[in-house]
Amino acid sequence: MTTDTQHLKELNKEQREAAIHSNGPLLIVAGAGAGKTKTITHRIVNLIKKGISPERILAVTFTNKAAKEMRERIILEIEKNAKGQDKIPFVSTFHSLGVYIIKENARLFGLTKHFTILDEGDATSLIKEVLKELGIDPKQYDPKKIKNVISREKGKFVHLPEYIERENNKMNPLLKIVAQVWDLYEKKKAKENALDFDDLLLKATKLLKDNLEIRKKYQEKWEYIHIDEYQDTNEVQYLMSRMLAENNKNICVVGDADQNIYSWRGANLKNILSFEKDYPDAKVILLEENYRSTKNILTVANEIIKKNKYRPEKNLFTKNKSGEKISIYEALNENDEADFVATKILEIADSGADLPRRGVSQADGPRGSAPRARGDSDPALAISAPLSQIAILYRANFQSRALEEAMLRYNIPYQVLGVKFFERKEIKDTLAYLRAALNRNSLSDIKRIINFPARGIGKVTLVKIFAGEEENLPIKMKIKIDNFYKILEEIKEKIGKEKTSEVIKFVVKKTGIETELSSGAEEDMERLENIKELATLALKYDNLENGLGIEKLLEDASLASDQDSLLITEEKKEKINAVKLMTVHASKGLEFKYVFITGLEDGLFPHQRHNEGEGFDSEEERRLFYVAITRAKEKLFLSFANFRTIFGSRTINAPSEFIADIPRTLLEKEEENSRIKTIYI
């Protein structure tokens, strides 16, 4: 191997083949745990070593977490193998790429540079406001459902005029209401100098499609394009990728049809299945060697997924040990199932330590000590337990209740993934001050903070302000409003001069948030701690000057996904030794030594509404189970309940069809705990 390719020695044959490929379209079909990020990283570094400027390389993925990991790996490899190179490729999420293109061409959209990005909650609230303005009852027509319809259409690259024309002759009243709401919703956003998530992709892609000059500009800017998780792209993302690559055709996409689990978000499996049709000269490379899981886990995964028809032929293998068999537990009900999971976790955590067994009394059944706060540390567990390497997965969010109660009964520290740090009220309030300071047209933000902390500015006053009738207000009220806007001016001034973390500290003090929360109850003190954590998080933006740090923080906060921002910030999360509870969807991209997949019952997993479909839809639940299985590195536990209470009704369940697909020789039945069974009957 030559000196130039020495950095490729740690790759296997297929990974190396993908890494040294330079020109023309390339499809990398990468199975779970097959080292796709490593392969892309080395491919990018190899291009740089061949003389391609890093600035001409684009890499796009779906979450900030994945983009951050890829960027860090690329920087590390450049430092090791391309010394003297001080530039790096453009690595971002699709939405961040959309923001970049829109900001560079803001005037063409009638926007200012400091436009507001509405998160899902803000967008839904604005739609609720629109419904009320139109005289439509939000209780009858759910704002979230209407938002989802609009989002789905935008993901298909459908604009409002096309939607109105298409739905005009249909009798569905909901669709007609959607058209009315969508129209006013767009007008309100324009007035507020704001965009929602879907606009970031829709508007950027439309600009590329309609403006040849701008399209050529970005085609020349990024000569080599890499798209990660290509199986998850929707129509807009597909079009954006194609237009950026149409000139040079140097597009490398990485994905796995077996891990397409987001069709409900608009992800189109046909995009990856049709890649060779879109690019007839494409080279296809399969990465089938798994570096994550044991042989037994992979055998089960292969057996499950091979029943799907809409997939390229692929068979994962590994040089890892055979490992333990897959455990299966037949529970009486969801409480019995949760107790099984909890007691198994204590067994895993033991490691020879004398751990407390609080929570089960032989006479009285599960009751235990008083429940403690989620995530509180137990000294014995903290010393010996690899709790952060244990995940409990479930198909639907409602399943977490029984599991959480069991974690509390047995005093096991845990985290529920999916509750976003940036969606906490106190964090949104703090960020709203920053957005309002930069964008005075952001009425949603001003409405949120003008009376927090309390300034005696009520709803009636707010209506008059937004109607431009401030002159009719009493002099004392005018002074209060003037003082509020002076605070925004001071914040804006600080943004241009101070470091990002210092601006956050200034906002908390100047606005009175710190005083308000410091004098409150314990819950308020926790909120203040979260804001302090925001200031700590902001430290990583301090190297960006002239307000760019605040802009980037606001952008990242708006675009944070389930995995990017959980109960606490990413950096702090990794240090907490706690069991992770999450849906299977939220687990994608993660890995754990021990994985529990619960609720394997017909109608729940596979989920009933999906199981009734045909074609692509009927196969998605099987892909979802495949994703769940391949999160496990060493040991996999499966469980199902004969009875489960759902929405207040007790149902009798048959085991999931997936269980029957697992070879009997790889399953070991967990023994029933007859005492607990008796308790729960």
Side-chain angles (χ1 to χ4, degrees), residues 396-425:
N397 277 304
F398 78 84
Q399 292 173 252
S400 72
R401 180 198 59 79
L403 294 163
E404 286 191 69
E405 287 177 359
M407 296 301 107
L408 290 169
R409 275 199 304 275
Y410 290 88
N411 207 28
I412 299 171
Y414 71 100
Q415 290 177 298
V416 180
L417 275 68
V419 182
K420 296 183 182 180
F421 176 78
F422 289 116
E423 285 186 356
R424 292 181 180 276
K425 180 187 181 299

PDB file of all heavy atoms in Angstrom, residues 396-425:
ATOM      1  N   ALA A 396     -44.738   1.987  20.858  1.00  0.00           N
ATOM      2  CA  ALA A 396     -45.590   3.172  21.053  1.00  0.00           C
ATOM      3  C   ALA A 396     -45.263   3.837  22.388  1.00  0.00           C
ATOM      4  O   ALA A 396     -44.948   3.157  23.377  1.00  0.00           O
ATOM      5  CB  ALA A 396     -47.059   2.772  21.013  1.00  0.00           C
ATOM      6  N   ASN A 397     -45.357   5.146  22.429  1.00  0.00           N
ATOM      7  CA  ASN A 397     -44.979   5.910  23.617  1.00  0.00           C
ATOM      8  C   ASN A 397     -45.733   5.513  24.877  1.00  0.00           C
ATOM      9  O   ASN A 397     -45.170   5.561  25.970  1.00  0.00           O
ATOM     10  CB  ASN A 397     -45.175   7.410  23.361  1.00  0.00           C
ATOM     11  CG  ASN A 397     -43.994   8.023  22.631  1.00  0.00           C
ATOM     12  OD1 ASN A 397     -42.856   7.934  23.087  1.00  0.00           O
ATOM     13  ND2 ASN A 397     -44.260   8.633  21.487  1.00  0.00           N
ATOM     14  N   PHE A 398     -47.018   5.111  24.738  1.00  0.00           N
ATOM     15  CA  PHE A 398     -47.807   4.804  25.932  1.00  0.00           C
ATOM     16  C   PHE A 398     -47.199   3.654  26.740  1.00  0.00           C
ATOM     17  O   PHE A 398     -47.451   3.523  27.939  1.00  0.00           O
ATOM     18  CB  PHE A 398     -49.261   4.485  25.554  1.00  0.00           C
ATOM     19  CG  PHE A 398     -49.483   3.109  24.992  1.00  0.00           C
ATOM     20  CD1 PHE A 398     -49.651   2.011  25.823  1.00  0.00           C
ATOM     21  CD2 PHE A 398     -49.514   2.903  23.617  1.00  0.00           C
ATOM     22  CE1 PHE A 398     -49.857   0.738  25.298  1.00  0.00           C
ATOM     23  CE2 PHE A 398     -49.721   1.645  23.090  1.00  0.00           C
ATOM     24  CZ  PHE A 398     -49.885   0.552  23.932  1.00  0.00           C
ATOM     25  N   GLN A 399     -46.393   2.800  26.091  1.00  0.00           N
ATOM     26  CA  GLN A 399     -45.803   1.660  26.776  1.00  0.00           C
ATOM     27  C   GLN A 399     -44.802   2.073  27.858  1.00  0.00           C
ATOM     28  O   GLN A 399     -44.479   1.271  28.737  1.00  0.00           O
ATOM     29  CB  GLN A 399     -45.095   0.740  25.769  1.00  0.00           C
ATOM     30  CG  GLN A 399     -46.012   0.025  24.807  1.00  0.00           C
ATOM     31  CD  GLN A 399     -45.222  -0.716  23.733  1.00  0.00           C
ATOM     32  OE1 GLN A 399     -45.192  -0.313  22.582  1.00  0.00           O
ATOM     33  NE2 GLN A 399     -44.567  -1.796  24.117  1.00  0.00           N
ATOM     34  N   SER A 400     -44.320   3.295  27.785  1.00  0.00           N
ATOM     35  CA  SER A 400     -43.277   3.705  28.733  1.00  0.00           C
ATOM     36  C   SER A 400     -43.804   3.814  30.162  1.00  0.00           C
ATOM     37  O   SER A 400     -43.030   3.713  31.118  1.00  0.00           O
ATOM     38  CB  SER A 400     -42.650   5.036  28.307  1.00  0.00           C
ATOM     39  OG  SER A 400     -43.540   6.103  28.521  1.00  0.00           O
ATOM     40  N   ARG A 401     -45.112   4.026  30.336  1.00  0.00           N
ATOM     41  CA  ARG A 401     -45.638   4.253  31.687  1.00  0.00           C
ATOM     42  C   ARG A 401     -45.303   3.105  32.635  1.00  0.00           C
ATOM     43  O   ARG A 401     -44.710   3.303  33.700  1.00  0.00           O
ATOM     44  CB  ARG A 401     -47.160   4.461  31.638  1.00  0.00           C
ATOM     45  CG  ARG A 401     -47.780   4.708  33.024  1.00  0.00           C
ATOM     46  CD  ARG A 401     -49.285   4.471  33.024  1.00  0.00           C
ATOM     47  NE  ARG A 401     -49.640   3.119  32.628  1.00  0.00           N
ATOM     48  CZ  ARG A 401     -49.572   2.055  33.422  1.00  0.00           C
ATOM     49  NH1 ARG A 401     -49.128   2.172  34.664  1.00  0.00           N
ATOM     50  NH2 ARG A 401     -49.936   0.866  32.990  1.00  0.00           N
ATOM     51  N   ALA A 402     -45.681   1.879  32.254  1.00  0.00           N
ATOM     52  CA  ALA A 402     -45.439   0.723  33.120  1.00  0.00           C
ATOM     53  C   ALA A 402     -43.940   0.511  33.331  1.00  0.00           C
ATOM     54  O   ALA A 402     -43.497   0.157  34.431  1.00  0.00           O
ATOM     55  CB  ALA A 402     -46.075  -0.528  32.513  1.00  0.00           C
ATOM     56  N   LEU A 403     -43.165   0.736  32.282  1.00  0.00           N
ATOM     57  CA  LEU A 403     -41.709   0.552  32.380  1.00  0.00           C
ATOM     58  C   LEU A 403     -41.083   1.588  33.313  1.00  0.00           C
ATOM     59  O   LEU A 403     -40.210   1.267  34.121  1.00  0.00           O
ATOM     60  CB  LEU A 403     -41.087   0.631  30.988  1.00  0.00           C
ATOM     61  CG  LEU A 403     -41.491  -0.501  30.030  1.00  0.00           C
ATOM     62  CD1 LEU A 403     -41.182  -0.123  28.585  1.00  0.00           C
ATOM     63  CD2 LEU A 403     -40.779  -1.796  30.406  1.00  0.00           C
ATOM     64  N   GLU A 404     -41.539   2.834  33.217  1.00  0.00           N
ATOM     65  CA  GLU A 404     -41.025   3.874  34.112  1.00  0.00           C
ATOM     66  C   GLU A 404     -41.368   3.563  35.562  1.00  0.00           C
ATOM     67  O   GLU A 404     -40.539   3.747  36.467  1.00  0.00           O
ATOM     68  CB  GLU A 404     -41.602   5.239  33.730  1.00  0.00           C
ATOM     69  CG  GLU A 404     -41.004   5.835  32.481  1.00  0.00           C
ATOM     70  CD  GLU A 404     -41.415   7.294  32.302  1.00  0.00           C
ATOM     71  OE1 GLU A 404     -40.964   8.122  33.106  1.00  0.00           O
ATOM     72  OE2 GLU A 404     -42.178   7.580  31.367  1.00  0.00           O
ATOM     73  N   GLU A 405     -42.602   3.103  35.793  1.00  0.00           N
ATOM     74  CA  GLU A 405     -43.006   2.771  37.155  1.00  0.00           C
ATOM     75  C   GLU A 405     -42.136   1.655  37.731  1.00  0.00           C
ATOM     76  O   GLU A 405     -41.772   1.674  38.913  1.00  0.00           O
ATOM     77  CB  GLU A 405     -44.480   2.367  37.180  1.00  0.00           C
ATOM     78  CG  GLU A 405     -45.420   3.553  36.993  1.00  0.00           C
ATOM     79  CD  GLU A 405     -46.885   3.144  36.937  1.00  0.00           C
ATOM     80  OE1 GLU A 405     -47.173   1.926  37.029  1.00  0.00           O
ATOM     81  OE2 GLU A 405     -47.741   4.038  36.785  1.00  0.00           O
ATOM     82  N   ALA A 406     -41.777   0.690  36.883  1.00  0.00           N
ATOM     83  CA  ALA A 406     -40.903  -0.400  37.335  1.00  0.00           C
ATOM     84  C   ALA A 406     -39.502   0.117  37.656  1.00  0.00           C
ATOM     85  O   ALA A 406     -38.880  -0.305  38.636  1.00  0.00           O
ATOM     86  CB  ALA A 406     -40.836  -1.499  36.271  1.00  0.00           C
ATOM     87  N   MET A 407     -38.994   1.049  36.837  1.00  0.00           N
ATOM     88  CA  MET A 407     -37.675   1.632  37.116  1.00  0.00           C
ATOM     89  C   MET A 407     -37.683   2.334  38.479  1.00  0.00           C
ATOM     90  O   MET A 407     -36.729   2.235  39.251  1.00  0.00           O
ATOM     91  CB  MET A 407     -37.279   2.630  36.026  1.00  0.00           C
ATOM     92  CG  MET A 407     -37.084   2.055  34.625  1.00  0.00           C
ATOM     93  SD  MET A 407     -35.830   0.775  34.488  1.00  0.00           S
ATOM     94  CE  MET A 407     -36.892  -0.681  34.292  1.00  0.00           C
ATOM     95  N   LEU A 408     -38.766   3.021  38.781  1.00  0.00           N
ATOM     96  CA  LEU A 408     -38.880   3.714  40.069  1.00  0.00           C
ATOM     97  C   LEU A 408     -39.011   2.708  41.212  1.00  0.00           C
ATOM     98  O   LEU A 408     -38.389   2.874  42.271  1.00  0.00           O
ATOM     99  CB  LEU A 408     -40.086   4.657  40.052  1.00  0.00           C
ATOM    100  CG  LEU A 408     -39.960   5.894  39.155  1.00  0.00           C
ATOM    101  CD1 LEU A 408     -41.301   6.600  39.014  1.00  0.00           C
ATOM    102  CD2 LEU A 408     -38.914   6.855  39.701  1.00  0.00           C
ATOM    103  N   ARG A 409     -39.820   1.658  41.020  1.00  0.00           N
ATOM    104  CA  ARG A 409     -40.001   0.647  42.067  1.00  0.00           C
ATOM    105  C   ARG A 409     -38.683   0.000  42.445  1.00  0.00           C
ATOM    106  O   ARG A 409     -38.413  -0.265  43.616  1.00  0.00           O
ATOM    107  CB  ARG A 409     -40.972  -0.449  41.588  1.00  0.00           C
ATOM    108  CG  ARG A 409     -42.426  -0.152  41.785  1.00  0.00           C
ATOM    109  CD  ARG A 409     -43.266  -1.423  41.730  1.00  0.00           C
ATOM    110  NE  ARG A 409     -43.113  -2.189  40.506  1.00  0.00           N
ATOM    111  CZ  ARG A 409     -43.798  -1.966  39.386  1.00  0.00           C
ATOM    112  NH1 ARG A 409     -44.651  -0.967  39.340  1.00  0.00           N
ATOM    113  NH2 ARG A 409     -43.613  -2.719  38.335  1.00  0.00           N
ATOM    114  N   TYR A 410     -37.862  -0.277  41.445  1.00  0.00           N
ATOM    115  CA  TYR A 410     -36.596  -0.973  41.691  1.00  0.00           C
ATOM    116  C   TYR A 410     -35.415  -0.010  41.839  1.00  0.00           C
ATOM    117  O   TYR A 410     -34.273  -0.423  41.877  1.00  0.00           O
ATOM    118  CB  TYR A 410     -36.334  -1.976  40.562  1.00  0.00           C
ATOM    119  CG  TYR A 410     -37.276  -3.159  40.586  1.00  0.00           C
ATOM    120  CD1 TYR A 410     -38.497  -3.113  39.930  1.00  0.00           C
ATOM    121  CD2 TYR A 410     -36.949  -4.309  41.297  1.00  0.00           C
ATOM    122  CE1 TYR A 410     -39.375  -4.181  39.958  1.00  0.00           C
ATOM    123  CE2 TYR A 410     -37.813  -5.390  41.335  1.00  0.00           C
ATOM    124  CZ  TYR A 410     -39.026  -5.315  40.666  1.00  0.00           C
ATOM    125  OH  TYR A 410     -39.895  -6.393  40.714  1.00  0.00           O
ATOM    126  N   ASN A 411     -35.730   1.280  41.893  1.00  0.00           N
ATOM    127  CA  ASN A 411     -34.701   2.291  42.149  1.00  0.00           C
ATOM    128  C   ASN A 411     -33.599   2.278  41.090  1.00  0.00           C
ATOM    129  O   ASN A 411     -32.406   2.376  41.390  1.00  0.00           O
ATOM    130  CB  ASN A 411     -34.101   2.081  43.539  1.00  0.00           C
ATOM    131  CG  ASN A 411     -33.568   3.375  44.123  1.00  0.00           C
ATOM    132  OD1 ASN A 411     -34.060   4.457  43.797  1.00  0.00           O
ATOM    133  ND2 ASN A 411     -32.567   3.276  44.956  1.00  0.00           N
ATOM    134  N   ILE A 412     -33.996   2.152  39.831  1.00  0.00           N
ATOM    135  CA  ILE A 412     -33.035   2.109  38.719  1.00  0.00           C
ATOM    136  C   ILE A 412     -33.030   3.468  38.011  1.00  0.00           C
ATOM    137  O   ILE A 412     -34.059   3.900  37.488  1.00  0.00           O
ATOM    138  CB  ILE A 412     -33.411   0.999  37.711  1.00  0.00           C
ATOM    139  CG1 ILE A 412     -33.390  -0.367  38.395  1.00  0.00           C
ATOM    140  CG2 ILE A 412     -32.457   1.011  36.509  1.00  0.00           C
ATOM    141  CD1 ILE A 412     -33.957  -1.495  37.537  1.00  0.00           C
ATOM    142  N   PRO A 413     -31.912   4.164  37.983  1.00  0.00           N
ATOM    143  CA  PRO A 413     -31.846   5.452  37.261  1.00  0.00           C
ATOM    144  C   PRO A 413     -32.157   5.260  35.777  1.00  0.00           C
ATOM    145  O   PRO A 413     -31.687   4.305  35.170  1.00  0.00           O
ATOM    146  CB  PRO A 413     -30.392   5.900  37.454  1.00  0.00           C
ATOM    147  CG  PRO A 413     -29.907   5.141  38.640  1.00  0.00           C
ATOM    148  CD  PRO A 413     -30.632   3.828  38.612  1.00  0.00           C
ATOM    149  N   TYR A 414     -32.950   6.171  35.218  1.00  0.00           N
ATOM    150  CA  TYR A 414     -33.315   6.018  33.811  1.00  0.00           C
ATOM    151  C   TYR A 414     -33.556   7.378  33.175  1.00  0.00           C
ATOM    152  O   TYR A 414     -33.751   8.383  33.847  1.00  0.00           O
ATOM    153  CB  TYR A 414     -34.572   5.149  33.676  1.00  0.00           C
ATOM    154  CG  TYR A 414     -35.846   5.807  34.131  1.00  0.00           C
ATOM    155  CD1 TYR A 414     -36.738   6.366  33.220  1.00  0.00           C
ATOM    156  CD2 TYR A 414     -36.171   5.883  35.490  1.00  0.00           C
ATOM    157  CE1 TYR A 414     -37.910   6.974  33.635  1.00  0.00           C
ATOM    158  CE2 TYR A 414     -37.333   6.488  35.909  1.00  0.00           C
ATOM    159  CZ  TYR A 414     -38.203   7.032  34.983  1.00  0.00           C
ATOM    160  OH  TYR A 414     -39.355   7.647  35.402  1.00  0.00           O
ATOM    161  N   GLN A 415     -33.537   7.377  31.846  1.00  0.00           N
ATOM    162  CA  GLN A 415     -33.860   8.551  31.051  1.00  0.00           C
ATOM    163  C   GLN A 415     -34.857   8.143  29.963  1.00  0.00           C
ATOM    164  O   GLN A 415     -34.702   7.089  29.353  1.00  0.00           O
ATOM    165  CB  GLN A 415     -32.622   9.111  30.341  1.00  0.00           C
ATOM    166  CG  GLN A 415     -31.611   9.766  31.242  1.00  0.00           C
ATOM    167  CD  GLN A 415     -30.408  10.201  30.417  1.00  0.00           C
ATOM    168  OE1 GLN A 415     -29.743   9.371  29.825  1.00  0.00           O
ATOM    169  NE2 GLN A 415     -30.152  11.486  30.377  1.00  0.00           N
ATOM    170  N   VAL A 416     -35.828   8.982  29.733  1.00  0.00           N
ATOM    171  CA  VAL A 416     -36.751   8.764  28.608  1.00  0.00           C
ATOM    172  C   VAL A 416     -36.300   9.657  27.473  1.00  0.00           C
ATOM    173  O   VAL A 416     -36.321  10.882  27.594  1.00  0.00           O
ATOM    174  CB  VAL A 416     -38.210   9.082  28.992  1.00  0.00           C
ATOM    175  CG1 VAL A 416     -39.127   8.846  27.799  1.00  0.00           C
ATOM    176  CG2 VAL A 416     -38.641   8.234  30.173  1.00  0.00           C
ATOM    177  N   LEU A 417     -35.853   9.069  26.382  1.00  0.00           N
ATOM    178  CA  LEU A 417     -35.399   9.854  25.243  1.00  0.00           C
ATOM    179  C   LEU A 417     -36.602  10.333  24.448  1.00  0.00           C
ATOM    180  O   LEU A 417     -37.563   9.605  24.262  1.00  0.00           O
ATOM    181  CB  LEU A 417     -34.472   9.036  24.342  1.00  0.00           C
ATOM    182  CG  LEU A 417     -32.996   9.038  24.771  1.00  0.00           C
ATOM    183  CD1 LEU A 417     -32.809   8.301  26.077  1.00  0.00           C
ATOM    184  CD2 LEU A 417     -32.126   8.398  23.699  1.00  0.00           C
ATOM    185  N   GLY A 418     -36.516  11.559  23.982  1.00  0.00           N
ATOM    186  CA  GLY A 418     -37.605  12.111  23.200  1.00  0.00           C
ATOM    187  C   GLY A 418     -38.139  13.412  23.781  1.00  0.00           C
ATOM    188  O   GLY A 418     -38.851  14.137  23.118  1.00  0.00           O
ATOM    189  N   VAL A 419     -37.794  13.704  25.064  1.00  0.00           N
ATOM    190  CA  VAL A 419     -38.183  14.977  25.657  1.00  0.00           C
ATOM    191  C   VAL A 419     -37.053  15.960  25.388  1.00  0.00           C
ATOM    192  O   VAL A 419     -35.982  15.867  25.949  1.00  0.00           O
ATOM    193  CB  VAL A 419     -38.415  14.837  27.175  1.00  0.00           C
ATOM    194  CG1 VAL A 419     -38.874  16.163  27.772  1.00  0.00           C
ATOM    195  CG2 VAL A 419     -39.429  13.740  27.459  1.00  0.00           C
ATOM    196  N   LYS A 420     -37.273  16.919  24.518  1.00  0.00           N
ATOM    197  CA  LYS A 420     -36.187  17.759  24.042  1.00  0.00           C
ATOM    198  C   LYS A 420     -35.808  18.859  25.029  1.00  0.00           C
ATOM    199  O   LYS A 420     -36.673  19.531  25.579  1.00  0.00           O
ATOM    200  CB  LYS A 420     -36.558  18.399  22.704  1.00  0.00           C
ATOM    201  CG  LYS A 420     -36.748  17.410  21.578  1.00  0.00           C
ATOM    202  CD  LYS A 420     -37.048  18.156  20.293  1.00  0.00           C
ATOM    203  CE  LYS A 420     -37.296  17.176  19.155  1.00  0.00           C
ATOM    204  NZ  LYS A 420     -37.580  17.883  17.907  1.00  0.00           N
ATOM    205  N   PHE A 421     -34.533  19.033  25.209  1.00  0.00           N
ATOM    206  CA  PHE A 421     -34.007  20.109  26.046  1.00  0.00           C
ATOM    207  C   PHE A 421     -34.498  21.457  25.536  1.00  0.00           C
ATOM    208  O   PHE A 421     -34.926  22.319  26.294  1.00  0.00           O
ATOM    209  CB  PHE A 421     -32.480  20.044  26.028  1.00  0.00           C
ATOM    210  CG  PHE A 421     -31.806  21.163  26.780  1.00  0.00           C
ATOM    211  CD1 PHE A 421     -31.733  21.144  28.161  1.00  0.00           C
ATOM    212  CD2 PHE A 421     -31.235  22.225  26.102  1.00  0.00           C
ATOM    213  CE1 PHE A 421     -31.111  22.172  28.853  1.00  0.00           C
ATOM    214  CE2 PHE A 421     -30.613  23.254  26.778  1.00  0.00           C
ATOM    215  CZ  PHE A 421     -30.544  23.223  28.161  1.00  0.00           C
ATOM    216  N   PHE A 422     -34.455  21.642  24.210  1.00  0.00           N
ATOM    217  CA  PHE A 422     -34.814  22.932  23.630  1.00  0.00           C
ATOM    218  C   PHE A 422     -36.325  23.177  23.597  1.00  0.00           C
ATOM    219  O   PHE A 422     -36.769  24.232  23.184  1.00  0.00           O
ATOM    220  CB  PHE A 422     -34.243  23.058  22.211  1.00  0.00           C
ATOM    221  CG  PHE A 422     -32.752  23.210  22.189  1.00  0.00           C
ATOM    222  CD1 PHE A 422     -31.947  22.237  21.610  1.00  0.00           C
ATOM    223  CD2 PHE A 422     -32.149  24.320  22.751  1.00  0.00           C
ATOM    224  CE1 PHE A 422     -30.573  22.376  21.589  1.00  0.00           C
ATOM    225  CE2 PHE A 422     -30.774  24.476  22.735  1.00  0.00           C
ATOM    226  CZ  PHE A 422     -29.980  23.503  22.162  1.00  0.00           C
ATOM    227  N   GLU A 423     -37.118  22.186  24.027  1.00  0.00           N
ATOM    228  CA  GLU A 423     -38.558  22.391  24.079  1.00  0.00           C
ATOM    229  C   GLU A 423     -39.050  22.741  25.480  1.00  0.00           C
ATOM    230  O   GLU A 423     -40.236  22.948  25.697  1.00  0.00           O
ATOM    231  CB  GLU A 423     -39.302  21.153  23.553  1.00  0.00           C
ATOM    232  CG  GLU A 423     -39.233  21.035  22.041  1.00  0.00           C
ATOM    233  CD  GLU A 423     -40.083  19.907  21.503  1.00  0.00           C
ATOM    234  OE1 GLU A 423     -40.678  19.164  22.310  1.00  0.00           O
ATOM    235  OE2 GLU A 423     -40.142  19.766  20.274  1.00  0.00           O
ATOM    236  N   ARG A 424     -38.132  22.804  26.440  1.00  0.00           N
ATOM    237  CA  ARG A 424     -38.511  23.228  27.790  1.00  0.00           C
ATOM    238  C   ARG A 424     -38.938  24.693  27.751  1.00  0.00           C
ATOM    239  O   ARG A 424     -38.338  25.500  27.051  1.00  0.00           O
ATOM    240  CB  ARG A 424     -37.331  23.049  28.746  1.00  0.00           C
ATOM    241  CG  ARG A 424     -36.949  21.603  29.011  1.00  0.00           C
ATOM    242  CD  ARG A 424     -35.778  21.559  29.984  1.00  0.00           C
ATOM    243  NE  ARG A 424     -35.361  20.204  30.274  1.00  0.00           N
ATOM    244  CZ  ARG A 424     -35.922  19.421  31.202  1.00  0.00           C
ATOM    245  NH1 ARG A 424     -36.939  19.884  31.907  1.00  0.00           N
ATOM    246  NH2 ARG A 424     -35.465  18.211  31.420  1.00  0.00           N
ATOM    247  N   LYS A 425     -39.931  25.039  28.530  1.00  0.00           N
ATOM    248  CA  LYS A 425     -40.482  26.399  28.510  1.00  0.00           C
ATOM    249  C   LYS A 425     -39.414  27.449  28.783  1.00  0.00           C
ATOM    250  O   LYS A 425     -39.305  28.452  28.070  1.00  0.00           O
ATOM    251  CB  LYS A 425     -41.612  26.523  29.532  1.00  0.00           C
ATOM    252  CG  LYS A 425     -42.227  27.928  29.565  1.00  0.00           C
ATOM    253  CD  LYS A 425     -43.221  28.097  30.697  1.00  0.00           C
ATOM    254  CE  LYS A 425     -43.825  29.502  30.678  1.00  0.00           C
ATOM    255  NZ  LYS A 425     -42.834  30.575  30.851  1.00  0.00           N
TER     256      LYS A 425
END
